[in-house]
Amino acid sequence: AQETGLHDEL
Amino acid sequence: MNLFRFFGDMSHLASILILLYKIHATRSVRGLSFKTQALYVTVFVARYLDVFTEFVSVYNTLMKIFFISSSCFVLYLMKGRYRPTNDPSIDTFRVEYLLGPCALLALIFHYRWSFLEVLWSFSIFLESVAILPQLFMLQRTGEAETITTHYLAALGAYRALYIPNWIYRYWSEDVIDPIAVTAGIVQTALYLDFFYVYFTKVLQGQKFELPA
């Protein structure tokens, strides 16, 4: 698994 | 987007509509913690500043605008129109004990060392504890209007639904967001006590009252 760091959640 | 996250977001949306309905219907902000509401404004502003720099989806953008504007509107209702019904003397939780540690945690744990990223981490940590002044107030007064408990239940359900969302994303997309997951689990845990009383009393038609 990789860390998202993508803030696509609210 | 999966169903857990979608229903979580809808629950979040519903919680704010219930909150606005409570204020409108009772013409009062009694039983609400101004500090918690002010912390939510801080959380949303800190996290959603990226609405100007990042584009995820129309849904994402609209929700961000809604959360920022509705939380600011609630603050206005509490300090403006319904100010006489607000009682700061029972809203005594010391928010500096939350802001300081959250700022420190954000400086230590973040994904990138940039202003917006540290602010994002700060908002995640702060959201996890923003409900504490409200729960503290509930504990202090020992009771709550039923409509207020529905607000809290919807807010808690939103957080709880994000947990299966992360589990789902972990095996379907192979991604994990350790900061959001850790803070999210803490945040959900804070509601457990409330949920126990909500399920055993409010949903059985009784008033929300804590044992003396």
Side-chain angles (χ1 to χ4, degrees):
Chain A
Q2 61 184 122
E3 290 186 358
T4 54
L6 274 173
H7 309 314
D8 61 349
E9 293 181 347
L10 285 160
Chain B
M1 175 65 72
N2 57 63
L3 283 181
F4 299 116
R5 183 145 58 111
F6 179 71
F7 282 112
D9 289 345
M10 289 305 110
S11 186
H12 193 188
L13 205 60
S15 76
I16 292 169
L17 297 178
I18 295 169
L19 179 66
L20 292 171
Y21 172 79
K22 175 257 168 333
I23 297 173
H24 179 76
T26 65
R27 306 193 58 75
S28 153
V29 295
R30 196 170 71 91
L32 300 177
S33 163
F34 176 79
K35 290 180 176 176
T36 281
Q37 297 304 323
L39 288 177
Y40 280 130
V41 170
T42 313
V43 165
F44 295 142
V45 171
R47 190 178 313 162
Y48 299 156
L49 274 180
D50 71 356
V51 77
F52 299 109
T53 59
E54 304 283 330
F55 179 78
V56 178
S57 63
V58 173
Y59 169 84
N60 188 278
T61 300
L62 289 178
M63 293 291 264
K64 284 174 175 172
I65 294 171
F66 175 79
F67 290 131
I68 291 179
S69 48
S70 62
S71 61
C72 289
F73 182 58
V74 169
L75 280 200
Y76 154 71
L77 291 176
M78 295 191 80
K79 283 291 169 182
R81 200 188 305 177
Y82 295 107
R83 191 188 186 103
T85 62
N86 181 35
D87 183 3
S89 71
I90 51 168
D91 191 13
T92 51
F93 194 92
R94 302 284 295 267
V95 287
E96 51 272 39
Y97 294 153
L98 302 179
L99 292 167
C102 287
L104 191 65
L105 281 172
L107 290 172
I108 302 170
F109 302 102
H110 46 258
Y111 294 121
R112 277 191 303 276
W113 180 246
S114 74
F115 180 69
L116 280 184
E117 280 296 309
V118 174
L119 215 52
W120 179 87
S121 276
F122 172 69
S123 83
I124 293 289
F125 293 126
L126 190 61
E127 188 193 346
S128 72
V129 289
I131 199 64
L132 283 177
Q134 177 68 62
L135 294 177
F136 186 69
M137 192 165 152
L138 216 63
Q139 194 74 248
R140 231 186 113 139
T141 55
E143 54 165 36
E145 288 166 1
T146 301
I147 186 77
T148 304
T149 66
H150 292 327
Y151 159 65
L152 288 168
L155 203 56
Y158 144 62
R159 291 317 312 183
L161 282 162
Y162 259 63
I163 294 176
N165 153 61
W166 291 319
I167 296 171
Y168 180 82
R169 295 191 80 178
Y170 179 74
W171 63 257
S172 70
E173 298 166 40
D174 200 34
V175 291
I176 186 159
D177 188 331
I179 295 175
V181 171
T182 312
I185 290 171
V186 169
Q187 187 174 358
T188 308
L190 295 181
Y191 283 91
L192 290 179
D193 198 42
F194 165 81
F195 269 128
Y196 176 76
V197 182
Y198 184 74
F199 282 116
T200 56
K201 286 204 168 172
V202 180
L203 290 187
Q204 314 294 325
Q206 300 172 42
K207 196 174 161 26
F208 184 95
E209 270 176 323
L210 298 172

